Amino acid sequence: MVNTTYLASTVLMGLLGVGVVLFVLRSRQWRHYVPRVAAEVAAGERPASGLSEFAGRTSTWTAGYVVLVLGFMFGAMAYAGGAITGPAVIGAVVALVAAFLVAGVYFAMRDNGRPSAQAAAGSAVATGLLAVVAITVVLVTTG
């Protein structure tokens, strides 16, 4: 069974984290802030990158969806055939979601005018939050 102290500590730290986020969001008028690079892009001073053009195509998203569906289908077939175990499937899905989140944070920040250093820092924060979630799950599920 889970130790009550660990569970209470996790809930308390979660509430503290939510409180910090709410404090930061309310303490500054974020709506009035426009990064200088984003303003330059909006003014048309810099062309769109090749990656953003590639990601903007419908065919790219369609091909990605087909590859993802085929990957899940073959993974399910391998699991049903006994070639891989349940934890391996769960690990693969978790790794896919984590990679999607970290890469998504990076590219979203880059597309909104942030320099690559800030985008890498945002991805590092997302990776750290994933590690905290993983540690919390391990602490709660093992006793």
Side-chain angles (χ1 to χ4, degrees), residues 40-70:
E40 292 171 359
V41 170
E45 295 180 15
R46 193 173 74 173
S49 68
L51 183 61
S52 64
E53 289 179 9
F54 179 71
R57 294 187 200 140
T58 306
S59 59
T60 301
W61 289 98
T62 304
Y65 177 76
V66 169
V67 168
L68 191 63
V69 167
L70 289 175

Side-chain angles (χ1 to χ4, degrees), residues 65-79 89 92-94 96-97:
Y65 177 76
V66 169
V67 168
L68 191 63
V69 167
L70 289 175
F72 278 117
M73 184 181 70
F74 287 126
M77 287 173 31
Y79 175 69
V89 172
V93 170
V94 167
L96 182 69
V97 169

Side-chain angles (χ1 to χ4, degrees), residues 104-119:
V105 166
Y106 179 81
F107 289 120
M109 290 182 76
R110 288 290 295 158
D111 287 343
N112 284 313
R114 302 290 186 186
S116 61
Q118 287 180 356

Side-chain angles (χ1 to χ4, degrees), residues 10-66:
T10 302
V11 170
L12 184 64
M13 290 306 292
L15 290 174
L16 179 66
V18 169
V20 168
V21 169
L22 289 175
F23 174 74
V24 168
L25 289 176
R26 291 181 183 263
S27 65
R28 183 170 177 186
Q29 296 296 326
W30 293 99
R31 293 183 205 108
H32 302 296
Y33 176 72
V34 177
R36 184 175 47 127
V37 178
E40 292 171 359
V41 170
E45 295 180 15
R46 193 173 74 173
S49 68
L51 183 61
S52 64
E53 289 179 9
F54 179 71
R57 294 187 200 140
T58 306
S59 59
T60 301
W61 289 98
T62 304
Y65 177 76
V66 169

